[in-house]
Amino acid sequence: QLQLEESGGGLVQPGGSLRLSCATSQYTLGYYAVGWFRQAPGKEREGVSWISSTDGKTYYADSVKDRFTISRDTAKDTVYLQMNSLKPEDTAVYYCAGDLFGDGDKWTRESEYDYWGQGTQVTVSS
């Protein structure tokens, strides 16, 4: 069973940046497409971004496009979510999820993913 672990969350001022990491100590994350999701208090979990396991293809939610960048470091077997120009509305618990050989066709659907991390809190506040 793949165990994912997120890190890098914290408190940041509006306009600031954070980089989240998603890693596993087992198997290899390289076989998995990875999605980042977030859940704000009182709201449903939503898809933020997605990266392919094969061709580097990426997707972003409209709300984060041009501010967030997803990337994969194959050597470190880690997927990153670089978040710039953060806004208070980005405050949420952020989760990464693995989809074995996923093609991204339905990347925002939680049911597409096989494994989930426990989440990391991101708070954007002055």
Side-chain angles (χ1 to χ4, degrees):
Q1 184 172 355
L2 185 69
Q3 292 183 330
L4 301 175
E5 184 172 353
E6 304 94 341
S7 61
L11 173 64
V12 63
Q13 293 186 341
S17 298
L18 283 174
R19 188 179 74 163
L20 305 183
S21 300
C22 176
T24 178
S25 59
Q26 308 160 302
Y27 305 107
T28 173
L29 198 55
Y31 293 123
Y32 292 80
V34 172
W36 282 99
F37 287 74
R38 66 185 181 186
Q39 186 167 23
K43 295 188 177 181
E44 293 186 354
R45 191 153 54 182
E46 63 174 353
V48 175
S49 187
W50 177 94
I51 188 165
S52 168
S53 61
T54 56
D55 60 4
K57 183 170 58 177
T58 59
Y59 294 116
Y60 296 93
D62 287 343
S63 59
V64 306
K65 205 170 292 184
D66 300 326
R67 297 190 298 123
F68 290 11
T69 302
I70 192 170
S71 62
R72 182 190 293 270
D73 186 328
T74 303
K76 295 184 178 179
D77 208 24
T78 301
V79 171
Y80 301 100
L81 185 68
Q82 178 67 44
M83 305 186 298
N84 299 329
S85 302
L86 283 162
K87 306 175 181 180
E89 51 263 46
D90 295 317
T91 295
V93 177
Y94 283 71
Y95 301 88
C96 67
D99 178 12
L100 185 62
F101 298 126
D103 62 8
D105 187 40
K106 301 177 179 67
W107 73 272
T108 59
R109 292 189 184 181
E110 295 182 43
S111 59
E112 293 293 301
Y113 297 85
D114 306 294
Y115 301 103
W116 291 79
Q118 294 299 307
T120 185
Q121 176 70 47
V122 172
T123 302
V124 185
S125 175
S126 56

